[in-house]
Amino acid sequence: MRHQQTLTKSSFLSGIGLHSGNPASIAIHPAPPNTGVIFIKHVDAHFQSCPATISFLGKTDHCTTLQAIDFQIQTVEHVLGALAGLEIDNAYVELQGTETPAADGSAAPFVDILHQCGILTQEEPRTYLKIVQPISVEDEQRSITVLPSALPTITYFIDFPHPLIQQQEYRHSCTPHEFQKNIAGARTFAFRKEVEFLWSRGLGLGGSLYNTVVFSDTGLVNEDELRFPNECVRHKVLDLIGDLSLLGIPVIGHFIAKCAGHALHAQLVQAILKNPDKWIILNAGKTEKEHILNGNTFPASTVYLPELQPAFHYL
Ligand SMILES: [Zn+2]
């Protein structure tokens, strides 16, 4: 039986938001067992909170946004990917600004600060959602299916008509070791011809060659090389890991994604919740399944966290 994990102490990362272009900082704090991951903001001497669950899903246009009553958090997928990839179940992610920091466009800087925090094993067992029958979502040529599998696995396929990308397929065995070695370092990518269109819609305003792989019509705009020849499909695996974590429980199944994106990732999470006959919960307490199905049993606005010292203060 595996146990839940949190962090030994808090750690911080500052930068700018990839899409907003505004200053963005996070502090990641330890949290008690069965907390899950909760975004928090310290305002007027108390914390406002937004659990990182699908109930609080906002827009999924080029990034995944969570929307609570009091605030929103843009581009949650890379920090959530790092937490899920390292199998950290419980954490408070304190936010300054409206977006997580872009860092270098990958999850590697988040992995680094999580290791700076130290990972702490807790007494409570970790519960898992085990897929027992296939669940699928599709949208024209895009699709994701999750199949029963003994081990958590992701196979992602992409097809972009660009000489440096074209068709790429990557199969990822979901372990912290594989995540750190093969997925965490894969950066966000964009196409130069789309950049102005993104800007016109208020997206990618913090994007730069420091935090994004930018493809010209035939090559790469960045001076440095790709970190992996198939960096793009590896980044899609990262995005999927982050988005799937909005289920609030790790899944044992084999995900097969074809040309998908944040919106379809989120639709799959919703489809899993709508089909409770197609999965079972392992190591569950009595009310666990109901709790997961409700998905919104955490307080959505103001919470009192007496054990936590805020990292940021707002005027
Ligand atoms: Zn991404």
Side-chain angles (χ1 to χ4, degrees):
M1 184 187 291
R2 300 268 182 97
H3 287 258
Q4 295 181 31
Q5 298 192 121
T6 187
L7 303 162
T8 306
K9 61 183 175 66
S10 304
S11 195
F12 312 88
L13 187 73
S14 289
I16 60 165
L18 180 67
H19 290 293
S20 65
N22 292 328
S25 298
I26 54 166
I28 307 185
H29 303 284
N34 303 314
T35 302
V37 176
I38 303 186
F39 286 92
I40 57 173
K41 232 176 158 172
H42 196 250
V43 180
D44 296 336
H46 52 243
F47 283 107
Q48 299 172 340
S49 70
C50 180
T53 62
I54 196 74
S55 308
F56 297 93
L57 184 72
K59 288 183 181 173
T60 51
D61 187 7
H62 285 82
C63 67
T64 299
T65 300
L66 294 178
Q67 181 69 55
I69 294 168
D70 307 300
F71 67 107
Q72 71 156 19
I73 317 117
Q74 214 173 355
T75 321
V76 296
E77 59 270 23
H78 302 157
V79 65
L80 291 182
L83 286 161
L86 296 190
E87 298 183 345
I88 295 163
D89 305 279
N90 304 305
Y92 296 117
V93 182
E94 187 179 351
L95 186 77
Q96 189 175 42
T98 58
E99 188 172 12
T100 67
D104 67 354
S106 80
F110 297 111
V111 167
D112 288 345
I113 66 161
L114 291 171
H115 281 305
Q116 283 168 27
C117 295
I119 297 172
L120 180 73
T121 302
Q122 297 171 298
E123 285 192 3
E124 282 71 5
R126 177 182 293 138
T127 54
Y128 291 91
L129 187 152
K130 183 170 172 53
I131 299 292
V132 293
Q133 284 182 56
I135 302 171
S136 292
V137 290
E138 57 182 43
D139 173 19
E140 297 179 352
Q141 304 303 313
R142 304 156 178 261
S143 66
I144 316 181
T145 298
V146 57
L147 303 172
S149 166
L151 296 170
T153 308
I154 292 173
T155 300
Y156 216 117
F157 172 82
I158 59 171
D159 186 2
F160 287 93
H162 187 283
L164 291 180
I165 312 178
Q166 298 179 318
Q167 295 187 345
Q168 297 181 352
E169 184 174 323
Y170 191 84
R171 185 183 169 105
H172 172 62
S173 299
C174 301
T175 67
H177 175 75
E178 288 292 317
F179 179 81
Q180 290 172 89
K181 189 173 151 208
N182 294 314
I183 302 299
R187 292 164 294 173
T188 303
F189 60 97
F191 297 93
R192 185 165 61 185
K193 61 186 176 191
E194 288 178 3
V195 167
E196 286 191 8
F197 176 65
L198 284 174
W199 289 345
S200 72
R201 296 164 64 204
L203 292 167
L205 298 174
S208 71
L209 296 178
Y210 177 72
N211 58 32
T212 308
V213 175
V214 182
F215 292 98
S216 63
D217 286 347
T218 55
L220 205 57
V221 180
N222 308 56
E223 285 184 4
D224 56 336
E225 294 181 356
L226 291 172
R227 292 179 176 176
F228 310 95
N230 55 359
E231 186 166 356
C232 294
V233 73
R234 292 178 193 236
H235 186 81
K236 298 295 280 187
V237 172
L238 166 62
D239 283 343
L240 179 57
I241 291 170
D243 290 339
L244 286 175
S245 77
L246 297 177
L247 203 51
I249 180 171
V251 179
I252 300 176
H254 183 180
F255 293 87
I256 300 169
K258 290 182 182 155
C259 305
H262 296 298
L264 208 60
H265 298 168
Q267 278 180 40
L268 183 71
V269 171
Q270 285 156 338
I272 291 171
L273 291 175
K274 280 184 196 146
N275 287 279
D277 54 325
K278 296 184 176 175
W279 43 266
I280 56 172
I281 300 290
L282 304 181
N283 303 338
K286 254 190 203 164
T287 56
E288 195 71 29
K289 192 161 180 173
E290 203 176 317
H291 175 79
I292 292 161
L293 280 168
N294 288 338
N296 55 3
T297 50
F298 298 107
S301 54
T302 301
V303 287
Y304 181 56
L305 300 168
E307 77 277 21
L308 199 63
Q309 290 298 315
F312 310 115
H313 292 273
Y314 299 85
L315 296 172

